[in-house]
Amino acid sequence: MSVPSWINAKLVAGSTVILFVVMLGLLGPWIWDTTQARVASCPLNLPPYGFSPPNLTFQPAQLAHPLGTESSGRDMLAVLITGTPNSLLVGTIAAGIGIVIGTLLGLTAGFMGGWVGTLIRVMSDAIITIPSLVVLIVISSYVREISLTSMGLLLALFAWPGTTRTVYAQTLSLRERGYVQMARLSGASTLSIMVFELLPNLMPYLAACFTASVSGNILAATGLEALGLGPSRIPTLGMAISNAVRGAAILRGMWWWWGLPIAMLILIFSGLFLITIGLDEVANPRLRRSEGNAR
Amino acid sequence: MKPVGIAIKRFVFIGLLLSVAGCSLHAPKSDYDRRETVVFDLETRVLAPNMWNPYVPGARLEHGFHQCMIEPLFILNTETGIIEPWLGLSMTSNETLDVWTLALRPEVKWNDGVPFTADDVVFTINLLLKNAPSLLFSGPMKQWVARAEKVDALTVLFHLTKPNPRFKLDYWSVKIANSVTILPEHIWKDKDPLTFKNYEPGKGWPVFTGPYKLDRFSETSFSYRRDDGWWGAKAGWKPLPAPKMLEWVWQGTEEMRTAAMVDGSVDSLCDITLGAYQALEHFRGDVMAWTDGPPYVWLDPCPRALEFNCGHPPWDDKEMRWAMNYCINRDVIVAVAYEGTSMPSKHFFPAYPPLERFTRILEQNGAYDRFPVWEYNPDKAREILESKGYTRNRYGYFEKDGKELSVTVTTHEAAIELQRVAQVVVEQLQTAGINASHRSEAGGTWMDNGSLGNFDARVGWMACGSVSEPWSSMDTFNASWMMPDGKRAQYNIWRWKNEAYSALVSDMGRMPLGDPRIDDLYWRAMEIWLDELPGIPLTQARKLLPFAQDHWKNWPSKENPYSHPCTWWQSTCKMIHEIKPVAPDPGKAP
Amino acid sequence: MSYPLLEIKDAVKHYGGSLWSGQRPVAALQGCSLSVHGTPASITAIAGESGSGKSTLASAVLGFVTLDSGQVRFMGQDLATMDRHLRFNYRRQVQAVFQDPYAAFNPFYRAGHLFDLALRHFKLAASHQEAKDRIADALHRVGLSTADLKKHPHQLSGGQRQRMMVARACLIEPKLIVADEPVSMVDASLRSMILDIMLRLRDESAISFLYITHDLSTAYQIADDIHILFRGTVVESGPTAEVLGQPRHPYTRTLIESIPAPDPARRWNAPLTTDWENEHTEPSTDCCFRSRCPEAAEGCPHGIPGLSPISEGSSHQVACWRANTQR
Amino acid sequence: MSTMRGSSLAYLIRRLAMFALTIWLGLTLMFLIPRMAPGDPIAAMVARISSQAGRVENSEQMIQAWRTRFGLDAPLYQQYGRYLWNSLHFDLGYSMAYFPMKVEDLVRAGMPWTLALLSIATVLSFLVGSTLGALMGWPASPRALRLVLPAALCFTSIPPFMLGILLIYVFAFGLRWFPFAGAYAHEFPPGRNLDFVFSAVHHGILPATAIVVTTMGFWALGMRAMMVTTSGEDYMILAQAKGLRPRRLFWMYGVRNAILPQVTSLALSIGGIAGGSVLVEYIFTYPGMGYLLYQGIVNNDYALIQGMTSILIIGVATAVLIVDLAYPLLDPRIRRGDL
């Protein structure tokens, strides 16, 4: 054990990827002219530098737009630099709020039971039964201009009930464990048992929920954007993809238009996934193989 | 263990399915020949496919219904401005424009063999009058028609409530999209027109006069089979149309629609972007559009504009509207939003040949020297704004009394073209120091917000209406339509009130079509309009409509403008008669 | 008047059956009464076969299950009527050692977490150093070192874990420890060590034990009093030596006979064979153990026999219709 | 003994009361939410009529006539009462945007397609995803597998509609293995014949693949996490020590215990069936309910939205109820006295 246990190759790799995306957002404007992510700021339909698609009538690639441009005159590099962190932000806001609220309510319902638990469960069940699309569209018609934050909050409205339910079920099963009884015998309050005894054991599952939820919410945002109901001036990966779909990018052979944003989505997802696996191994000592032999 | 066992079985099952599907790649044999079929593109899915009543609110017409089953009385050719007779022979008015006489083509028969007569016309009008305002067209009929009177089997007199010089043009001539449908009395006479579906295959319903009969349909595709007993062929008026089958199929997104045409499974497409058309040309050389070279497009009668609510400060000030106008560079909009396939517009009329004369009147009178609508001049905009007391704040936006000059431009969620326009407009306003933003609203909401005046600015199809004469569009600015915010306005949703303009337009509306006095009234009204600029005209509405030529030829084009090319209009009934099969390749066996 | 340390009166507890599986509800406790004396500290054993309601009894005492009827009284105070403050105090006074030393450790934490929890919530130590010392002391008593605190639960052996549990209970210094089969999952070599610790705690720290076991031999070794539990009721109780030496109840005798003796010459009595499920849930109108009573006679009346002293003033009590007539 | 039966019955009664409460709350929300939207369904309808039929001077009168017809001029509480009553009778009324179509007819046309496509795709995705997740979370999985599987999950980050287009492009447009779009070849209208079934399956494969491939990652992630937790449990160590065969250990001890929370999620995912498939249905021009619901929303068609959502609400609530009642059977650790 010469290396501290939290230094885990997967965790480090995943964090590096996510950090890279965050840094893109923070430093992007210094390394690249991100105003080129706006409509009509560049020549249209340029292929990435070094590529010359044989089939269609594209202008020659320019070094000024190394990843090419799309058909509304947005520079793809600028779109990626601003859009990737933006998408991550929307997903994180929605997933973060959803997981936190869902976990709190699920733990409460599972551990306290009674009418509080019933109320929480009825509420979450009712929200689950409602098709979110209806509500999202209705609410989005009230918001003057949809910002990244309001988009994240909107999506968070529907991110919590699922978590509530699964955490509730988990809590029911965990709370009969011996260590919960021990904690009770040690005079721990209900709240402290929920937070210090149950929560850590839910962590691997919650981390997985979070990873899934971040990408799920990015996709949900993409769906809203594809329906034309997202923020239109702030670039996100979803906006880039839905523009590509609307602009027949595949048929036109403009792979850079749809392929690059998807590559960035995969990057975000992989980063979060690595972090999840890494966290599991750090947080759940039994998974550490080197130590497992002591058993 | 159990669910896993099922899982494995599922895997195996799906694997088998996949391999079976992979083996049988050839489309199953159909009972009709693709070479004798014309397949049209359907822009949206039809959610109520078994509804063949053209008058109920849920009715849809553009899936072939009014193209090949319902025939119009007359058809306006937007290219020539000529109204061509179809089921009708003539329709003329008296001097005072309040009695119109319709003469019907004598040889017309419903497709069940019953003759089409003045009784059917009178029956239809009475049906609409009785059920006003719930049925389509019943509102306008109630408004205009006092009484329809049968003179003889082929002649009907319309007694109007007040003079209307456009009675024939607006309602009976497929001016835009469709016209009033005549119903067969012998089928409809005892039915409740609000709930009657008019569909019963066993009885041969729906019954109309068109050369095709309904064959089969689903929510996504509609097939019609040629009725070889069609009255027109029997009477020798026109030969039978060449296609044995017509189909309208919903293909989904632009990408899919275009791919379907590359694939050869569709012969005509509704509007696509330039990029998709280029891809189409790349994959198959034989496609054609309205024009041979760029911009390829046909212009739709509803030009695009940036519309303000002229009742909302600061947009109630015409100078502010002019300032906005100077911020907008229409060439960039055309270049970016349309990829060069449209043209800027200086007014709210479509650039159709019959209207060119009116556009020329404006130019001859030097209107655009005095009112430089096309001028992109941010400096002038700045001057105006500064003269109004606006100053730039630290974010670079204009501000007055601590309030930032901002505007939200709304668009219809389904109108991608207008969203692209709005995005460019917003960027241009932002560059000029106006904090503009853009939002798409759900269709119903957008329409409602429009008529209630619940908007600041929107990109819409302002003043749609004129095709061959200028009054229809001009009247949409008439103060007589004016409603306060929160009350539903039919027209003039922009809440622009100008008495002088309204008086001039009202005068125009009472004159017969083609009256020489109209020109002067027109010019005086337009002078006011341009000075006030209640909305900012942006571009013409273009439609890029590709046709495939591997199975069918003689599609309409700018060189061959026998009809407009939009296949969702009722005027397509003419196109159907004109297209011809490409001669079968003699080398190939049939 | 002085109360016994712990008194259980007419405890009744049912577990609901399931509509779906068709199980009938199970009666875990039906009218069970017993008491544990605190002065001087004593070890009271509760013995019975599995399913006899022992563990439910333990849970009821620890407050993990609420009784359908009956009372658990601690120093005269009814557990059900305690307010927050009293309940917290009760926690402090009544601790437990469970059968399964694996489950008692939160897999997320190192072993020391259990000690920290108790110290923190019961505010047992004024300073960090004091806490350390007390833990070290408690560990020392069970033969463990403080180095083991840093280990993860899965790195400890079963015996180590159970000793930790005992050490934890010592640390808190309660008045009563409920030891629910503390040695049944522990190696034989460690068994005597843990039992020995219990005796030392009784004698040196005045901690009483409610020792729950199915194993009469360990009960015989350490318990002062014993209660034989069968189907949720006490069938025989009294001083351990007396009850096990001269069992009066047929069930007690069966239990004793089923202990394998380390004498190959002696034959092991036939194990208890009955249709357990059926018997357990059948509503009892007969004498409640008739079906398993080797001495059941036609003359046995219906109904549950009450617990009564075998002779005037004796603390050895038995519940059997024939107890007084035979021998 | 009666009290024992009673507690079980009481549980059932309480659970049923919760079920009713959930449905009531869901229905109420779906009554209020569309009415909160700024649009007016009748005005939208009239606007559509007049855009098709030219100018109407008396539109206000027309709107009023339709309002009366749809009962929208009644006070809100009356509308609410009627709505609840009708929902419970599955009397969904007339659609506003597609009058005189009945909501029931519209739904009946779309429902089978959506149900067939999405339920098969969801179940497949659940099974494939959970298996992948279980393999990933299983310490004894082959190393190669543990490297390859995460790559399969990358598809999860692609929007389903985008993947749909790519699939069409490759398999329908390029390789011509599958049809472009639609639910069946229209040479074979729906009926009880093999041709139709074959063509429906043939048409369903691409959209189902798009859904399965893009959603299985979510199941996999959840399953992996549960598997990780489970494989550390003591009973696993015990089972291992007992020398059980790895395969048996994996399925009976690992998967069986880890899959419980997944089953809950599966029941919940039914709710997403209509709403979640809008874009996939759109891309594949599949005649399902998602598009119908979307059209209902953009047209503010209260009747259509309410009719469809009340079906969904009741369906999801029932699925959840069943899972809840079955849960103690699957997981005996959960005592159900503690509702």
Side-chain angles (χ1 to χ4, degrees), chain A residues 172-191:
Chain A
L172 281 195
S173 130
L174 286 181
R175 72 175 202 180
E176 300 301 328
R177 299 290 167 97
Y179 56 81
V180 173
Q181 294 187 337
M182 284 324 285
R184 275 215 234 173
L185 285 177
S186 302
S189 63
T190 304
L191 183 69

Side-chain angles (χ1 to χ4, degrees), chain D residues 5-331:
Chain D
R5 291 274 165 75
S7 79
S8 200
L9 193 66
Y11 168 78
L12 188 70
I13 290 172
R14 263 186 299 174
R15 189 61 191 80
L16 285 176
M18 243 185 86
F19 172 68
L21 211 59
T22 307
I23 289 180
W24 168 77
L25 191 60
L27 289 180
T28 305
L29 286 173
M30 285 327 295
F31 176 79
L32 293 175
I33 289 168
R35 280 172 173 75
M36 277 162 49
D40 176 336
I42 303 297
M45 181 179 103
V46 170
R48 210 175 33 253
I49 293 174
S50 47
S51 77
Q52 277 196 11
R55 53 199 57 201
V56 186
E57 265 179 351
N58 40 14
S59 71
E60 213 44 63
Q61 182 195 342
M62 193 159 166
I63 288 169
Q64 207 44 52
W66 283 107
R67 274 186 176 287
T68 314
R69 195 173 181 105
F70 284 111
L72 290 175
D73 50 352
L76 210 58
Y77 69 89
Q78 272 184 24
Q79 292 184 39
Y80 177 61
R82 201 179 308 141
Y83 158 68
L84 281 187
W85 182 248
N86 289 343
S87 294
L88 293 178
H89 287 77
F90 287 100
D91 173 6
L92 308 180
Y94 284 102
S95 157
M96 296 175 183
Y98 301 98
F99 187 85
M101 285 301 280
K102 290 199 145 177
V103 172
E104 195 190 326
D105 297 334
L106 291 174
V107 171
R108 192 174 288 158
M111 184 107 88
W113 295 111
T114 298
L115 277 187
L117 174 66
L118 276 122
S119 51
I120 290 174
T122 306
V123 168
L124 265 180
S125 159
F126 174 79
L127 292 175
V128 177
S130 296
T131 311
L132 287 185
L135 287 172
M136 276 194 296
W138 189 244
S141 299
R143 200 174 164 70
L145 210 55
R146 291 160 73 84
L147 286 175
V148 170
L149 293 181
L153 292 195
C154 285
F155 286 110
T156 300
S157 37
I158 303 176
F161 61 91
M162 184 74 219
L163 187 72
I165 296 181
L166 287 172
L167 285 177
I168 294 176
Y169 195 67
V170 175
F171 292 103
F173 186 70
L175 297 172
R176 294 178 165 271
W177 288 3
F178 294 103
F180 265 67
Y184 53 90
H186 63 193
E187 294 91 309
F188 304 120
R192 285 164 189 266
N193 56 68
L194 265 179
D195 281 344
F196 165 68
V197 172
F198 181 82
S199 105
V201 170
H202 197 197
H203 280 73
I205 288 173
L206 281 188
T209 310
I211 297 170
V212 169
V213 169
T214 51
T215 55
M216 66 183 187
F218 297 104
W219 301 116
L221 283 175
M223 189 64 185
R224 196 200 70 90
M226 283 318 294
M227 213 50 190
V228 162
T229 312
T230 308
S231 64
E233 295 279 0
D234 291 310
Y235 57 78
M236 293 295 297
I237 298 165
L238 190 71
Q240 232 168 342
K242 278 201 290 189
L244 288 180
R245 275 183 307 141
R247 179 168 301 209
R248 190 173 160 75
L249 206 62
F250 176 73
W251 290 115
M252 290 306 285
Y253 288 77
V255 172
R256 208 193 131 168
N257 284 297
I259 207 155
L260 285 170
Q262 299 282 96
V263 175
T264 315
S265 308
L266 182 64
L268 302 184
S269 68
I270 297 172
I273 275 184
S277 62
V278 176
L279 286 164
V280 174
E281 282 186 6
Y282 187 71
I283 296 294
F284 287 96
T285 63
Y286 211 76
M289 288 210 297
Y291 188 75
L292 190 63
L293 181 62
Y294 183 65
Q295 285 306 308
I297 299 168
V298 297
N299 289 323
N300 268 321
D301 188 339
Y302 296 162
L304 188 55
I305 299 175
Q306 285 165 357
M308 292 189 61
T309 51
S310 59
I311 292 174
L312 287 175
I313 287 169
I314 292 171
V316 177
T318 309
V320 168
L321 176 74
I322 290 171
V323 165
D324 271 3
L325 291 181
Y327 216 90
L329 285 187
L330 299 169
D331 188 354

